[in-house]
Amino acid sequence: MKKLLLMALCLVFGLETWAQDERNARVVVGMNNLTYTVKKTKTLEKVLDVLLTGEVSKDQSKYQDAVRAAILKGISQSHRMSAIDGQLSAQEAALPGARYVDATVSTLSTTSKTETEYIDKEKKKTRTKTYYKALIGITMQFKSAKTDEILASPTFNVTETDLSWIETEDGAMLKALDRLSYYVNRYCNRWLPLRANVLEGARDKKDKQKEVYIDLGSAEGAYKGLHMGVYTVKTVAGKEAKKQIGKLKIEEVQGDDISLCKVQSGGRDIKSALDNGDTLVIETTD
């Protein structure tokens, strides 16, 4: 499985792309250990839960492999990370930015409730139906593949408020796993966003910028509908200070390194900055 994933990623992105020290270079992440530390609920606690809420919780350790797959999916579908299931090879670990991740599962269960509904009110015919929700809680620890330094330790929880009731246990778990993948993906995208620069203004109206061109295209993963923030950048005491002045959405990818974007907010500030010759930088927000 690991070799197939690596071959596919090499075909799409190329190991050369990973090795380049570029602004949007992809980072390879090896998924190592997934530890299951769920505390088992005592019988008395289960009885009390049923009396208080009418709901029954059930441990679902059988879905551990599915949790692992959901984490890999979330990482792999992010803008700048590519996941490998297992240990990194020496070649992979030597790539710039290479890291690995361990995960601990603290919650993995389903909650069920049974409801009675009328089939025929006149004849007082009823039936009972059982509905399910799934709960997942994990903590991930990203480490540098070169130094073993801890880079980040995010925690993700899929709770009862995140999802609606589903008629099957497997269906409820699939919904929760999809949500977990989304949370992991969103975190990775915010941690390592795609970056670009505004090349020039396109369409404007009076004192507002309506469209701009940016130097991000298909070669670095741009796509129609991608949302981005617009920032002015200053150097203060040798450090980069950013200030968001607007938002963009890619309307059309026009080549390997150029896209046309619609200005969604901050049109006046963006136009003023362009007129003043200020440098504007872009970062993805999703």
Side-chain angles (χ1 to χ4, degrees):
M1 180 68 178
K2 175 181 173 182
K3 290 182 178 179
L4 288 174
L5 276 171
L6 180 58
M7 287 174 66
L9 291 168
C10 288
L11 287 172
V12 176
F13 305 112
L15 283 175
E16 297 82 8
T17 303
W18 283 346
Q20 292 170 0
D21 186 16
E22 298 175 346
R23 65 179 183 185
N24 291 324
R26 295 190 68 83
V27 170
V28 61
V29 180
M31 177 78 186
N32 284 348
N33 300 316
L34 186 142
T35 306
Y36 189 66
T37 62
V38 176
K39 179 184 176 182
K40 294 196 174 182
T41 306
K42 296 179 181 179
T43 302
L44 179 59
E45 292 176 357
K46 291 181 181 179
V47 172
L48 289 173
D49 284 343
V50 174
L51 290 174
L52 291 171
T53 67
E55 299 173 3
V56 180
S57 294
K58 180 181 177 183
D59 177 70
Q60 295 289 1
S61 59
K62 65 181 180 181
Y63 288 105
Q64 288 181 65
D65 288 343
V67 171
R68 185 181 185 93
I71 294 171
L72 286 164
K73 177 183 175 182
I75 296 173
S76 292
Q77 292 184 349
S78 64
H79 297 317
R80 293 183 51 201
M81 293 188 187
S82 301
I84 302 296
D85 188 2
Q87 292 281 341
L88 297 178
S89 68
Q91 182 184 14
E92 293 160 357
L95 294 170
R99 58 201 67 181
Y100 61 87
V101 63
D102 295 316
T104 301
V105 181
S106 57
T107 304
L108 186 57
S109 63
T110 52
T111 298
S112 62
K113 67 174 183 177
T114 300
E115 294 183 347
T116 301
E117 59 183 30
Y118 280 101
I119 301 174
D120 189 327
K121 287 188 177 181
E122 291 184 359
K123 295 181 180 181
K124 295 183 179 181
K125 288 185 177 181
T126 62
R127 65 179 176 186
T128 58
K129 294 189 73 173
T130 302
Y131 299 91
Y132 301 87
K133 284 185 178 182
L135 312 176
I136 304 175
I138 67 167
T139 298
M140 298 169 64
Q141 191 171 73
F142 289 90
K143 292 184 179 181
S144 166
K146 292 183 180 180
T147 66
D148 211 36
E149 174 190 1
I150 296 175
L151 304 174
S153 299
T155 296
F156 305 101
N157 290 291
V158 180
T159 66
E160 288 192 358
T161 58
D162 291 320
L163 303 167
S164 57
W165 291 99
I166 305 295
E167 292 187 12
T168 66
E169 196 171 67
D170 285 344
M173 185 58 69
L174 285 173
K175 289 286 186 182
L177 290 167
D178 283 343
R179 183 58 61 94
L180 176 62
S181 292
Y182 167 74
Y183 287 157
V184 172
N185 179 266
R186 183 178 62 177
Y187 178 86
C188 292
N189 282 341
R190 292 177 177 178
W191 189 15
L192 290 181
L194 288 172
R195 294 186 171 92
N197 299 292
V198 173
L199 292 172
E200 61 180 47
R203 184 172 61 90
D204 58 41
K205 185 177 181 181
K206 294 183 178 180
D207 60 344
K208 292 183 179 181
Q209 197 68 41
K210 295 296 184 180
E211 295 177 333
V212 296
Y213 288 103
I214 63 172
D215 63 349
L216 183 75
S218 56
E220 292 181 292
Y223 57 87
K224 182 178 179 179
L226 182 63
H227 292 267
M228 315 185 83
V230 184
Y231 303 85
T232 56
V233 180
K234 294 181 179 179
T235 301
V236 180
K239 294 185 178 181
E240 186 182 84
K242 295 188 304 181
K243 178 183 178 182
Q244 185 169 355
I245 63 171
K247 296 179 180 179
L248 307 176
K249 182 175 74 171
I250 293 181
E251 286 289 290
E252 182 183 359
V253 178
Q254 297 187 342
D256 289 345
D257 57 0
I258 187 170
S259 293
L260 175 65
C261 299
K262 180 180 180 180
V263 177
Q264 293 192 300
S265 67
R268 184 175 284 105
D269 289 336
I270 292 172
K271 188 176 189 309
S272 176
L274 289 173
D275 290 344
N276 292 333
D278 296 338
T279 299
L280 296 179
V281 298
I282 311 298
E283 284 189 359
T284 49
T285 57
D286 58 10

